[in-house]
């Protein structure tokens, strides 16, 4: 985030445009994390668990899902988290099936949201943006810049959340999906509960992780834009 701001200052970007970027970036984070957690809560509730509703999580209000420290962490270093939705699997009719659905609800919502917003962004960019002699996009007012930044970073962030959370390491959704398949006292699960956080940090720091991560997220993004390009 600080790198982006520094780059904008060096480019001589106006304060109002930087503000538009900041607001759009913040809205993108709040939307992606808020709907991700709401999807977990809604799925659990639909499958018979009243816990999310009792705890006030069955709402699209992002303020109920955002963790202040996680939000600050994302704004400062680009890594953050939301408040996890608590569920009681004892209310589920079929534990493994229902836990799997609850686990993947968040990431599938992020993927769907990225797909929808990529279409909106594609048509918005093609029909509204103007270009200067250097080929850089321009808009007639700061509100349009805000919309552009919000859509752009919403797509990037939602795809990033989809890919990252599918990693089968505790405490990510990918681990919870895998957990629903195994018995509760499985050695793999016990190992992950003990060492998962440390393993996740090590994986993130590995040199090849960024390359692999960027390839996967880039492929999904290009696929979405290619799809919407068929209609223009």
């Amino acid at each position: 985030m600080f790198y982006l701001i520094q780059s904008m200052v060096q480019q001589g970007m106006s304060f109002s445009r930087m503000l538009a970027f900041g607001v759009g970036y913040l809205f993108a984070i709040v939307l992606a994390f808020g709907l991700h957690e709401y999807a977990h809560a809604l799925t659990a509730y639909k499958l018979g668990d009243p816990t999310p509703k009792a705890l006030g999580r069955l709402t699209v209000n992002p303020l109920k899902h955002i963790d202040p420290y996680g939000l600050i962490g994302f704004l400062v270093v680009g890594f953050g988290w939301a408040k996890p939705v608590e569920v009681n699997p004892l209310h589920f009719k079929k534990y493994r099936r229902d836990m799997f659905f609850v686990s993947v609800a968040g990431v599938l919502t992020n993927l769907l949201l990225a797909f929808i917003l990529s279409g909106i962004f594609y048509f918005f960019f093609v029909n509204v943006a103007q270009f200067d002699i250097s080929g850089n996009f321009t808009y007639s007012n700061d509100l349009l810049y805000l919309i552009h930044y919000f859509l752009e970073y919403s797509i990037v962030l939602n795809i990033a959340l989809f890919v990252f959370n599918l990693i089968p390491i505790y405490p990510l959704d990918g681990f919870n999906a895998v957990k629903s398949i195994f018995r509760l006292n499985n050695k793999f699960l016990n190992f992950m509960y003990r060492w998962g956080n440390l393993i996740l940090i090590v994986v993130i720091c590995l040199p090849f992780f960024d390359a692999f991560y960027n390839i996967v997220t880039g492929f999904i993004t290009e696929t979405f834009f290619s799809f919407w390009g068929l209609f223009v």
Side-chain angles (χ1 to χ4, degrees):
M1 181 67 173
F2 288 142
Y3 173 79
L4 290 172
I5 294 176
Q6 182 181 15
S7 177
M8 291 178 181
V9 172
Q10 292 175 347
Q11 294 174 16
M13 189 177 295
S14 67
F15 174 77
S16 61
R17 184 172 167 185
M18 285 192 291
L19 181 62
F21 165 81
V23 173
Y25 187 76
L26 178 62
F27 282 1
I29 296 173
V30 170
L31 178 68
F33 278 94
L35 289 184
H36 177 103
E37 296 303 330
Y38 172 68
H40 286 310
L42 179 63
T43 304
Y45 180 75
K46 291 294 185 180
L47 291 173
D49 182 15
T51 306
K53 184 176 182 180
L55 296 177
R57 303 300 300 277
L58 194 64
T59 175
V60 293
N61 180 3
L63 298 179
K64 296 293 185 179
H65 305 294
I66 296 298
D67 184 301
Y69 297 106
L71 178 60
I72 293 172
F74 206 99
L75 292 172
V76 175
V77 298
F79 182 82
W81 57 90
K83 296 177 183 177
V85 173
E86 294 184 30
V87 300
N88 184 352
L90 295 178
H91 292 287
F92 296 147
K93 294 180 179 179
K94 295 184 178 180
Y95 168 80
R96 293 184 178 182
R97 181 203 66 182
D98 295 348
M99 274 302 301
F100 178 82
F101 286 154
V102 171
S103 299
V104 300
V107 293
L108 292 180
T109 297
N110 288 131
L111 185 65
L112 177 61
L113 186 60
F115 176 70
I116 294 172
L117 292 178
S118 67
I120 297 174
F121 176 77
Y122 194 95
F123 287 101
F124 176 84
F125 188 73
V126 169
N127 294 292
V128 180
Q130 301 172 345
F131 298 89
D132 58 25
I133 57 175
S134 299
N136 299 315
F137 69 87
T138 61
Y139 293 104
S140 58
N141 59 68
D142 291 326
L143 176 60
L144 295 178
Y145 276 109
L146 189 155
I147 295 173
H148 175 102
Y149 291 132
F150 165 71
L151 291 172
E152 180 179 10
Y153 285 104
S154 288
I155 297 165
V156 172
L157 181 55
N158 276 284
I159 292 177
L161 288 176
F162 168 75
V163 175
F164 183 75
N165 275 289
L166 282 180
I167 299 174
I169 299 176
Y170 176 81
L172 301 179
D173 292 333
F175 169 79
N176 291 325
V178 171
K179 182 180 71 173
S180 67
I181 302 173
F182 291 107
R183 294 179 178 178
L184 295 181
N185 61 348
N186 182 275
K187 291 183 179 180
F188 169 76
L189 301 184
N190 293 331
F191 175 80
M192 276 296 171
Y193 280 127
R194 183 175 183 181
W195 301 105
N197 288 309
L198 179 60
I199 294 173
L200 185 61
I201 294 174
V202 172
V203 169
I204 293 174
C205 295
L206 291 176
F208 70 84
F209 178 77
D210 272 347
F212 172 77
Y213 189 68
N214 291 333
I215 289 174
V216 176
T217 55
F219 172 77
I220 296 174
T221 303
E222 291 179 6
T223 301
F224 285 173
F225 283 141
S226 297
F227 173 83
W228 293 114
L230 296 175
F231 300 95
V232 177

